Amino acid sequence: MRLDVFGATMRVNKTETCRGVVAVSRGVQVMTCTRCIYDEKVSEISFDNEGVCNYCRQVDSLVSSYGTGTARGELKFRKLVEKIKLVQQNADYDCIVGVSGGTDSSFLLLLAKEVGLRPLAVHYDNTWNSAVATQNIAIVTKKLGIDLVTYVIDNKEQDQTKLAILKAGVPEFDADTDIAFISVLRKVAAYHRVKYILEGHSFVTEGISPIGGNYFDNAYVMDICRRFGDFKPKSFPSLGFWTFLKWSVIYRQQIIRPLWYLEYDKTSARKRLQEELGWRYYGGHHLENRASAFAHTVWLPQRFGVDLRNLSLAADVRSGKRTREEAIREYGTPVHVEKNLVRYVKKRLDLTDDEYLLLMNGPRRTWRQFKTYKRRFELLRPLFYVLARFGMVPMSFYLKYCFPLRKHS
Amino acid sequence: MITIVDYRMGNIGSLVNMFQHIGEEVIVTNEPADILRADKLLLPGVGAYGIAMQRINGLPGLRDALDEVVLNREIPILGICLGMQLFTDFSEEGNQEGLGWIPGSVVRLALQPELRVPHMGWNEVKITNRTPMTESISKHSRFYFAHSYHVVVADANTRMLSTVYGEEFNSGINHKNIFGVQFHPEKSLKSGMEILRSFSEM
Amino acid sequence: MLQNRVIPVLLLTNGSLVKTKQFKSPTYIGDPVNTALIFNELEADELVLLDISPTVHQCGPDFKTLQSVASECFMPLAYGGGISSCEQGEKILNLGFEKIVINSSAIEEPNLISNLAHALGSQAVVVGVDFRRMRDNSRAVFSRNGRRRAELDLVSWCRRAEMYGAGELLLTSIDSEGTWSGYDLPAIKEVASAVGIPVIANGGAGSLADIESLFFHTGALGAGVGSMFVFQGRGKGVLVNMPSKEQLRDITKTKYGSRL
């Protein structure tokens, strides 16, 4: 049986779980990077004559240009901080920090205060938060004396959107949250006349997510809702194409990734957060929100055979936190699903057991079958190159969105 | 598999929810045939002793089936709140005869000037006699109570847990396969979940 | 020892949670089922859910949402809003709620209190009483979410409710609600001293000190909390949060909840 997922054709073997483009194949020989654990099925991967994959090389080149974890990187960051303070001196805040209650964003707040910035914390609440997330946000912002803005989407509309995504059978269960989060950050930044948005991504601890995997943009979400939900989201904080350009080019908003410059290790970050602020660890990437927990532990692995643990495991291997053998072994273990999560999803989305089963076994689709801005991004590549060079859009955005994707055979 | 006795008194919905959460199957029934097939029983109860006994005695074959499996086959049974009180011989409330499985009686909580009745809210327990069920209880355990009457037992060996509200009273009793708790484990968060889990693992 | 209770009070309208200020200007808070689950994860002592939709009296309770909420909560739950019959009360309890709260229905037909107490047990019947301070400093009772003044004095109505068989009272100060300025301590104390049933105070909690004051000065057994648990701070953004168990343990450790 052949399936079309992420633009790549896969063979599905009825005796094993469906192989996705980013899953290490269980027990079958595939070409694997000699350095990390990405294998040939990872989208847009290639190997050089040392057998090292392009994603490793990309991380190497980013480390080199940003000086990550070195004195040079530290200096670059300090200079950036001074510039931010200068530019923002007349505004209420220096920077916006998007928070989720997780390790990276909580650590960013601590870091921002340490270097003397005046951050405004912004939280997008998709109404699927766990207690650990909201408590962590409360504890960290209160202890550090940081103001918080939240935007809560209408709960009934959110559930309609999630249901539409399930019916559409696409992998990006959390696409709407991803867009909404960025949209809210930028809107709040514009309102407070703040140019700088701090973001907690770290290519050292998370790697670069494969191009072609997990596509999202505003048009995509809207089209899914229209075709599979028969509604137009109203309380959803839209980030349309022109709005995106407005924030980037006219408002000159910049995304700053401090963790691209500085030494960062999640374990010590968590320790500091716990000891200094009473923050709590929730046990896994993105598990502070029930919708993303469902996406990562149920929807992607069971529906598409996609196990995104390879992102952080590969990053651990590259940074020397784990050996390659350990990581491959860990990746071979089954994905842990929190006991009552599926029951909760059925309850929220008002699904009977049978309806849920139908959704878990229905036709699979990809972003290519929907209206998106992808083509437009590709056609405007030169413009986005310039914007990326000037930090107005993330370089990772440029790399991911502005190039046509190879179709795998 | 837990068989919950349904005589239309008691918060069965919450019990079913909690068992589902811990992954234990339940059936809710008052059919003698189901009772006779049961591995474990649960007797819930909220309301008046007299009405409860009337209902239990009134459902055809139920009383006999219960006596058979509890007294002869000695399958584990957990009584909750009024359910625990029904194990005794009689109650002041309504002057009714109970199931008579654990010698004792039910009396009203002593009214003291500063006490409000019913005893309602979170309180602690002390272990008077250790049993398989008390293993899950720690000094941090707290349970939710909502009652105006309490159980006095004839044999001190059947006391399992005690709680203070004005006076000290039995918040848990046990005799062989028969366990009773005065509080509501299905409404006592983690502490309660541990009690139901330890019962399901017996 | 029996502890005092700190109880999140959530307001439901048309399937979403809101928070009001002095019973006006609702702010959207979020999803009722997820929020209830968060309070379950945070191990709240109890949860009160009140449906304040204008249509709840005609349409009756939103049983579907209530069922979903009940299946996520393993602490005592109370529901109020549009209950006017024993059948509805029984249905709510069967979903997994411990108590029902009646307010306007009780004022309009006090026999409902005794009917419900008889059918469900008095421990399951809470009478909700909303009141405002009048110019002469007396407290007047209001029904229909503060829109209709009942010709009732606060203390005597509470006494009557107890006589009819109420198991608990939920007293809400409309003036203090949503203001973060503390409970109406004199009013609560007066009622708590006049009745023998437990009193839960509601409206105005802005800090742990307010809650501690309530327990220390009034004889109330329960502290209803709204805004403090759904906003990050006074005038700040929505964020469901609660003080830690340790912080709450210190202020709920008192004697029986005595009548002073």
Side-chain angles (χ1 to χ4, degrees):
Chain A
M1 174 166 70
R2 293 167 91 84
L3 290 173
D4 209 3
V5 177
F6 300 143
T9 317
M10 307 176 322
R11 247 162 281 120
V12 177
N13 181 325
K14 59 179 183 293
T15 60
E16 57 157 9
T17 52
C18 168
R19 288 186 235 175
V21 293
V22 293
V24 169
S25 186
R26 289 13 174 197
V28 178
Q29 291 286 17
V30 286
M31 185 157 175
T32 309
C33 174
T34 50
R35 219 172 110 189
C36 73
I37 66 170
Y38 284 1
D39 64 34
E40 66 189 25
K41 292 188 313 313
V42 169
S43 170
E44 304 296 310
I45 199 167
S46 59
F47 301 98
D48 63 19
N49 48 17
E50 285 171 52
V52 176
C53 72
N54 53 325
Y55 292 102
C56 279
R57 293 300 180 204
Q58 204 172 71
V59 171
D60 287 343
S61 112
L62 285 166
V63 168
S64 165
S65 66
Y66 285 86
T68 316
T70 65
R72 183 168 61 93
E74 174 102 29
L75 184 60
K76 274 180 187 266
F77 180 64
R78 296 273 169 204
K79 283 207 175 126
L80 199 46
V81 168
E82 292 316 310
K83 178 174 171 203
I84 293 173
K85 285 178 184 171
L86 187 64
V87 170
Q88 297 290 149
Q89 60 188 309
N90 294 321
D92 295 328
Y93 304 99
D94 292 327
C95 59
I96 303 289
V97 180
V99 295
S100 64
T103 313
D104 301 333
S105 57
S106 306
F107 184 77
L108 265 195
L109 287 179
L110 190 57
L111 178 67
K113 284 297 258 194
E114 264 179 358
V115 300
L117 287 169
R118 298 168 301 144
L120 172 63
V122 176
H123 176 57
Y124 169 67
D125 184 348
N126 69 355
T127 74
W128 286 63
N129 275 331
S130 71
V132 163
T134 59
Q135 282 291 94
N136 277 344
I137 296 173
I139 288 167
V140 173
T141 54
K142 275 193 190 139
K143 277 253 166 74
L144 295 175
I146 295 177
D147 288 344
L148 172 74
V149 169
T150 39
Y151 181 79
V152 190
I153 192 169
D154 179 84
N155 59 311
K156 300 182 288 290
E157 186 190 289
Q158 170 69 123
D159 293 349
Q160 274 181 294
T161 304
K162 290 303 188 199
L163 188 58
I165 297 174
L166 291 184
K167 286 182 176 164
V170 295
E172 297 92 348
F173 182 70
D174 235 3
D176 60 317
T177 301
D178 293 335
I179 292 280
F181 184 69
I182 297 170
S183 178
V184 168
L185 285 182
R186 285 183 178 271
K187 285 191 166 104
V188 174
Y191 179 81
H192 287 279
R193 291 174 322 149
V194 174
K195 284 202 170 59
Y196 302 97
I197 299 173
L198 261 49
E199 213 246 329
H201 180 254
S202 156
F203 51 76
V204 170
T205 62
E206 290 169 51
I208 302 282
S209 56
I211 295 164
N214 201 29
Y215 183 84
F216 64 92
D217 72 34
N218 206 71
Y220 185 27
V221 173
M222 291 300 177
D223 202 32
I224 290 174
C225 290
R226 187 184 61 86
R227 285 173 52 188
F228 288 92
D230 197 23
F231 77 103
K232 182 169 179 205
K234 292 226 168 62
S235 82
F236 180 68
S238 244
L239 185 59
F241 182 80
W242 297 108
T243 313
F244 173 57
L245 281 184
K246 178 178 77 171
W247 301 137
S248 311
V249 178
I250 299 176
Y251 281 70
R252 308 285 291 270
Q253 290 175 349
Q254 286 182 48
I255 315 285
I256 311 283
R257 266 89 173 250
L259 305 180
W260 283 22
Y261 303 88
L262 304 170
E263 178 77 47
Y264 180 63
D265 164 60
K266 280 206 207 255
T267 315
S268 20
R270 280 177 203 139
K271 191 154 179 281
R272 273 196 73 190
L273 289 168
Q274 279 159 339
E275 285 168 9
E276 290 175 40
L277 304 175
W279 176 96
R280 268 185 63 206
Y281 182 46
Y282 43 87
H285 202 46
H286 288 307
L287 299 185
E288 68 271 23
N289 185 281
R290 291 182 242 279
S292 57
F294 180 74
H296 284 244
T297 63
V298 180
W299 185 244
L300 283 169
Q302 290 177 18
R303 195 84 160 82
F304 302 94
V306 170
D307 180 355
L308 292 179
R309 291 177 301 169
N310 67 340
L311 264 69
S312 48
L313 285 171
D316 282 352
V317 173
R318 282 186 213 115
S319 64
K321 263 189 88 177
R322 267 186 227 254
T323 65
R324 203 163 154 273
E325 291 64 42
E326 264 174 37
I328 291 179
R329 206 170 28 242
E330 170 79 26
Y331 198 48
T333 62
V335 178
H336 171 74
V337 184
E338 195 262 310
K339 201 154 58 147
N340 293 294
L341 181 60
V342 172
R343 207 196 338 268
Y344 181 78
V345 171
K346 288 182 200 170
K347 202 179 300 183
R348 275 293 291 264
L349 304 185
D350 200 15
L351 296 169
T352 63
D353 292 341
D354 289 336
E355 284 165 348
Y356 176 77
L357 272 176
L358 277 172
L359 287 175
M360 290 301 283
N361 291 292
R364 273 169 272 229
R365 294 183 184 84
T366 74
W367 57 269
R368 288 171 193 275
Q369 292 159 268
F370 293 84
K371 283 204 197 118
T372 67
Y373 296 133
K374 185 75 171 73
R375 192 79 190 103
R376 205 186 293 189
F377 289 139
E378 288 168 18
L379 290 171
L380 294 171
R381 191 185 328 151
L383 165 67
F384 283 107
Y385 175 70
V386 171
L387 294 178
R389 288 286 288 146
F390 285 95
M392 281 184 260
V393 303
M395 184 57 80
S396 54
F397 165 86
Y398 167 71
L399 294 171
K400 268 208 228 178
Y401 284 72
C402 299
F403 291 85
L405 298 171
R406 288 202 300 266
K407 271 200 181 279
H408 287 214
S409 57
Chain B
M1 165 81 94
I2 312 274
T3 304
I4 300 181
V5 183
D6 179 11
Y7 58 102
R8 284 178 5 258
M9 286 173 84
N11 201 339
I12 293 180
S14 302
L15 281 166
V16 171
N17 283 333
M18 194 175 256
F19 278 117
Q20 256 188 347
H21 241 82
I22 62 181
E24 181 72 28
E25 269 185 67
V26 291
I27 69 164
V28 178
T29 180
N30 51 36
E31 294 293 328
D34 294 326
I35 306 291
L36 292 168
R37 267 197 294 265
D39 300 315
K40 284 198 193 100
L41 283 177
L42 197 135
L43 188 69
V46 169
Y49 192 102
I51 300 181
M53 283 315 303
Q54 273 172 14
R55 292 225 178 132
I56 290 177
N57 289 331
L59 286 159
L62 179 61
R63 181 66 191 272
D64 292 334
L66 286 171
D67 285 336
E68 165 64 24
V69 294
V70 172
L71 299 176
N72 296 338
R73 283 194 224 160
E74 297 190 353
I75 65 170
I77 179 169
L78 174 63
I80 292 176
C81 194
L82 176 63
M84 160 172 144
Q85 294 175 355
L86 296 176
F87 291 164
T88 57
D89 299 310
F90 77 93
S91 167
E92 256 179 22
E93 184 190 11
N95 294 316
Q96 262 277 1
E97 263 184 43
L99 294 165
W101 296 338
I102 296 186
S105 61
V106 174
V107 300
R108 197 172 165 81
L109 279 168
L111 278 173
Q112 288 168 32
E114 66 274 23
L115 281 193
R116 293 172 197 261
V117 177
H119 172 217
M120 213 148 90
W122 292 83
N123 209 332
E124 297 157 325
V125 303
K126 205 174 64 184
I127 299 175
T128 28
N129 283 311
R130 301 206 88 89
T131 72
M133 189 165 279
T134 61
E135 295 311 302
S136 65
I137 295 174
S138 74
K139 67 176 165 80
H140 296 297
S141 301
R142 296 186 319 147
F143 300 95
Y144 186 77
F145 290 82
H147 62 116
S148 313
Y149 288 78
H150 70 105
V151 168
V152 176
V153 290
D155 178 1
N157 291 322
T158 56
R159 303 176 68 201
M160 182 170 74
L161 301 169
S162 68
T163 293
V164 176
Y165 185 60
E167 53 177 330
E168 191 169 337
F169 68 90
N170 292 311
S171 43
I173 57 178
N174 162 245
H175 176 62
K176 293 204 249 178
N177 54 311
I178 305 169
F179 295 86
V181 291
Q182 183 62 71
F183 50 79
H184 288 273
E186 75 280 13
K187 287 285 148 172
S188 299
L189 293 166
K190 274 199 198 117
S191 303
M193 217 175 262
E194 287 310 305
I195 294 279
L196 291 188
R197 189 172 288 144
S198 75
F199 180 65
S200 69
E201 283 166 7
M202 273 182 197
Chain C
M1 195 41 56
L2 181 70
Q3 288 173 300
N4 289 330
R5 298 170 261 155
V6 176
I7 307 170
V9 177
L10 301 179
L11 307 176
L12 183 67
T13 183
N14 295 324
S16 300
L17 288 183
V18 297
K19 185 70 193 63
T20 47
K21 184 169 174 181
Q22 296 178 323
F23 280 36
K24 297 193 283 267
S25 334
T27 303
Y28 169 64
I29 298 295
D31 183 74
V33 180
N34 201 62
T35 307
L37 178 52
I38 290 179
F39 282 117
N40 185 69
E41 288 172 301
L42 296 176
E43 298 182 44
D45 288 336
E46 204 168 310
L47 198 62
V48 172
L49 189 59
L50 302 173
D51 191 327
I52 59 169
S53 324
T55 53
V56 77
H57 278 273
Q58 294 102 293
C59 304
D62 175 358
F63 291 108
K64 195 139 208 276
T65 303
L66 295 182
Q67 172 154 53
S68 298
V69 165
S71 61
E72 293 298 332
C73 293
F74 299 113
M75 68 291 209
L77 292 175
Y79 169 77
I83 296 177
S84 54
S85 73
C86 290
E87 290 73 43
Q88 282 172 325
E90 198 163 340
K91 193 166 175 189
I92 304 265
L93 293 199
N94 285 335
L95 290 176
F97 281 75
E98 273 50 60
K99 313 180 215 178
I100 49 142
V101 184
I102 49 171
N103 188 330
S104 306
S105 322
I107 291 173
E108 284 152 28
E109 181 42 76
N111 282 317
L112 181 62
I113 306 175
S114 38
N115 292 341
L116 284 166
H118 186 74
L120 312 171
S122 62
Q123 80 286 341
V125 181
V126 180
V127 170
V129 184
D130 303 332
F131 64 94
R132 280 196 173 96
R133 180 196 290 207
M134 306 314 289
R135 230 170 295 188
D136 60 356
N137 263 341
S138 68
R139 307 297 196 272
V141 175
F142 282 77
S143 70
R144 302 276 168 172
N145 278 325
R147 289 191 297 270
R148 203 185 282 176
R149 181 170 175 175
E151 289 312 317
L152 294 167
D153 162 71
L154 177 64
V155 176
S156 43
W157 169 233
C158 290
R159 277 210 172 108
R160 276 179 69 209
E162 180 181 19
M163 259 173 25
Y164 273 99
E168 272 185 324
L169 292 169
L170 175 66
L171 296 186
T172 305
S173 158
I174 302 176
D175 305 305
S176 309
E177 194 246 356
T179 62
W180 299 72
S181 54
Y183 294 97
D184 184 344
L185 298 180
I188 308 291
K189 180 170 175 176
E190 213 187 329
V191 172
S193 311
V195 299
I197 54 178
V199 170
I200 303 170
N202 188 37
S207 64
L208 282 175
D210 286 339
I211 299 173
E212 193 166 18
S213 254
L214 174 78
F215 292 144
F216 194 72
H217 288 119
T218 66
L221 256 181
V225 181
S227 302
M228 216 178 111
F229 288 170
V230 298
F231 293 113
Q232 189 226 6
R234 186 178 192 163
K236 303 272 177 74
V238 172
L239 191 68
V240 176
N241 73 101
M242 232 176 67
S244 70
K245 296 256 90 182
E246 292 67 38
Q247 286 174 299
L248 289 177
R249 199 179 299 147
D250 292 334
I251 61 173
T252 56
K253 245 190 184 45
T254 62
K255 279 172 57 167
Y256 318 100
S258 20
R259 215 193 287 204
L260 297 174

